[in-house]
Amino acid sequence: MTAGAPPGPVFRTALTELTGVRHPIVQTGMGWVAGPRLVSASAAAGALGVLASATMTTDRLRSAIREVKSRTDRPFGVNLRADAEDAGERVRIIVEEGVQVASFALAPSRELIAELKDAGVVVIPSVGARRHAEKVAAWGADAVVVQGGEGGGHTGAVATTVLLPQVVDAVGIPVIAAGGFHDGRGLAAALAYGAAGIAMGTRFLLTSDSTVPAAVKARYLAAGVGDVTVTTAVDGLPHRMLRSELVAGLEAAGRPAALLRAVRHAAAFRKVSGLGWSRMVRDGLAMKHGRDLSWSQVLLAANTPMMLKSAMVDGDPRGGVMAAGQVAGVIDDLPSCAELVDRIVTDARRTLDGLRPA
């Protein structure tokens, strides 16, 4: 457990009040990356660490939650796929294990939000459009993460600097800004826009507490801003990642080869996740309905978990894909989570103090 009394927060915002974290910073739930070690380090540093559950079995999710709790007594969250058939079971695990926050990559249903809130769990969906923020706010979400197009992974086309103020003006719940953040100046800017804090994925991936293999981290650190691209070749949806030989090959291969690869990856993910074919088909139906996808896009989506695993777990930057925000091009070090959070908060305060008249 965390020893000693933690220092008080430098910034008190609606996010720190809502979740009980010391600093208005969220470490996002990145598949294969946001495991117990990174989440507990982020939480202990005073940020809101979020455990990624989509690539875990339900048994593994429960044990991962318990592992985080054995490492720190600070608040943390779990990220869920709202369209997964076993979302209800995962919600029950969160409630039973006393997790403080549930986050979602897709908008959860009104009923799922109500179930979590009735159990005292804070609900924070992630969205990429104002209308989606308005919808989850009307359904009772406690806060919302808004990711602009600079963000890594699946992303939209609207920049954070345009999307964030739109959403802040449209909803009456705390808004957490994501996409393009990595330092204290970004936190200061987000607060100036009216956000209650910032959420970061790539910046936390590139810490010494992250379990991503060294060879893959080196690829991120060597990248420039121009080395981060958006492609639909991996799973049929816009996906921001590092340029690589594999991505170039996928883009050149065409749809038939991609579909064949997706079938192989679906079979591999079935073994890793413990899901049966019927469950995977049902999840595919839910995904198709929730995102209005074609069947070929649903099948291509099977590429994502295993191609990310190849890089983020197996350490093969040539055989896997590396989801990345554009900030990967300006990050050049691997601090601990504690060092990173302290640096961001200190620099944000210095930045804001420097704006005051002498």
Side-chain angles (χ1 to χ4, degrees):
M1 303 294 284
T2 304
V10 175
F11 296 101
R12 188 177 296 278
T13 73
L15 172 61
T16 63
E17 293 294 311
L18 180 66
T19 63
V21 297
R22 299 200 303 273
H23 305 302
I25 299 170
V26 177
Q27 164 254 301
T28 61
M30 300 163 281
W32 307 114
V33 176
R37 192 172 92 178
L38 179 62
V39 172
S40 59
S42 299
L48 178 65
V50 178
L51 194 67
S53 78
T55 53
M56 297 179 182
T57 64
T58 51
D59 287 343
R60 174 55 186 148
L61 172 59
R62 192 182 292 275
S63 66
I65 291 171
R66 292 178 177 178
E67 183 177 345
V68 174
K69 292 171 71 174
S70 74
R71 292 169 176 259
T72 181
D73 57 6
R74 302 301 301 163
F76 67 97
V78 170
N79 181 259
L80 305 167
R81 261 189 59 189
D83 60 347
E85 187 190 36
D86 65 352
E89 182 180 357
R90 292 171 185 267
V91 164
R92 283 191 292 276
I93 291 171
I94 286 174
V95 172
E96 290 168 1
E97 296 296 328
V99 175
Q100 294 91 336
V101 177
S103 73
F104 292 88
L106 294 174
S109 67
R110 188 193 304 267
E111 293 73 23
L112 208 55
I113 292 174
E115 181 180 352
L116 284 160
K117 292 188 65 171
D118 287 347
V121 180
V122 173
V123 180
I124 308 180
S126 296
V127 300
R130 182 179 65 183
R131 68 182 185 277
H132 297 150
E134 291 171 333
K135 178 171 70 174
V136 295
W139 287 354
D142 295 293
V144 64
V145 174
V146 175
Q147 178 176 303
E150 301 94 323
H154 293 120
T155 193
V158 181
T160 303
T161 50
V162 176
L163 182 61
L164 175 59
Q166 269 193 322
V167 175
V168 168
D169 291 344
V171 301
I173 58 176
V175 176
I176 302 155
F181 297 100
H182 68 102
D183 63 7
R185 292 173 300 178
L187 174 57
L191 294 175
Y193 271 115
I198 58 173
M200 304 184 298
T202 304
R203 179 64 276 195
F204 276 103
L205 184 156
L206 292 172
T207 60
S208 59
D209 295 303
S210 162
T211 58
V212 171
V216 176
K217 288 181 180 177
R219 287 291 293 266
Y220 278 90
L221 294 176
V225 173
D227 297 317
V228 185
T229 187
V230 175
T231 182
T232 59
V234 172
D235 58 13
L237 297 169
H239 203 147
R240 187 176 291 283
M241 59 186 62
L242 293 186
R243 293 184 186 276
S244 66
E245 301 89 337
L246 176 61
V247 172
L250 290 173
E251 291 178 335
R255 184 58 62 91
L259 291 173
L260 179 61
R261 183 181 293 105
V263 172
R264 295 199 301 269
H265 285 151
F269 184 60
R270 173 177 172 267
K271 293 180 181 179
V272 171
S273 65
L275 301 179
W277 283 112
S278 60
R279 255 288 310 282
M280 292 180 70
V281 169
R282 287 194 295 270
D283 281 355
L285 284 168
M287 182 187 300
K288 184 176 187 296
H289 174 72
R291 298 188 185 180
D292 193 26
L293 305 181
S294 68
W295 274 113
S296 62
Q297 286 175 313
V298 171
L299 185 54
L300 283 168
N303 276 320
T304 304
M306 298 312 295
M307 296 183 84
L308 285 168
K309 180 178 180 292
S310 292
M312 302 304 163
V313 178
D314 302 335
D316 181 8
R318 293 181 175 273
V321 298
M322 295 163 281
Q326 284 184 308
V327 295
V330 296
I331 294 172
D332 59 7
D333 64 347
L334 297 171
S336 68
C337 288
E339 291 166 340
L340 174 64
V341 171
D342 180 70
R343 186 167 76 195
I344 289 174
V345 172
T346 300
D347 288 350
R349 173 54 64 197
R350 183 182 299 117
T351 297
L352 292 173
D353 287 346
L355 295 175
R356 295 195 178 102

